[in-house]
Amino acid sequence: SMIIHFKPKTRVKFHIKNIDNLEKITNIFFSNKRKMINKSLRKILSNEKIKSIPGLNLKLRPQDLSPNLFYKITELFEI
């Protein structure tokens, strides 16, 4: 098991409009936690948006993603 704790940052470089969207994204990823993120990510983002995320490896598992990647994915989801 793994617990991820998100804490607010004072210098935010991501602009998340609704924090509930971050929760929705993490729920989607961690509902299939032993699977690679490529299928879950394709459910929520277009291929164009996926390609715009620098350094994203689609063969990673959710627990391998940094909090910044979760923020970026959520930001793209809201667009």
Side-chain angles (χ1 to χ4, degrees), residues 23-37 39-41 43-44 61-63 70:
E23 184 177 350
K24 180 178 180 178
I25 298 297
T26 55
N27 282 334
I28 290 170
F29 280 119
F30 283 99
S31 65
N32 298 318
K33 62 183 172 187
R34 291 300 308 150
K35 303 289 183 181
M36 292 183 283
I37 64 167
K39 288 184 183 177
S40 298
L41 194 58
K43 288 179 185 177
I44 55 175
R61 289 177 165 59
Q63 66 268 19
F70 280 105

Side-chain angles (χ1 to χ4, degrees), residues 58-74:
L58 295 176
K59 294 184 180 181
L60 291 175
R61 289 177 165 59
Q63 66 268 19
D64 299 327
L65 296 178
S66 70
N68 284 340
L69 273 173
F70 280 105
Y71 296 137
K72 179 66 177 173
I73 291 168
T74 303

Side-chain angles (χ1 to χ4, degrees), residues 38-55:
N38 61 355
K39 288 184 183 177
S40 298
L41 194 58
R42 291 182 197 286
K43 288 179 185 177
I44 55 175
L45 295 179
S46 67
N47 284 335
E48 183 179 299
K49 288 182 180 179
I50 292 171
K51 289 178 184 177
S52 72
I53 303 172

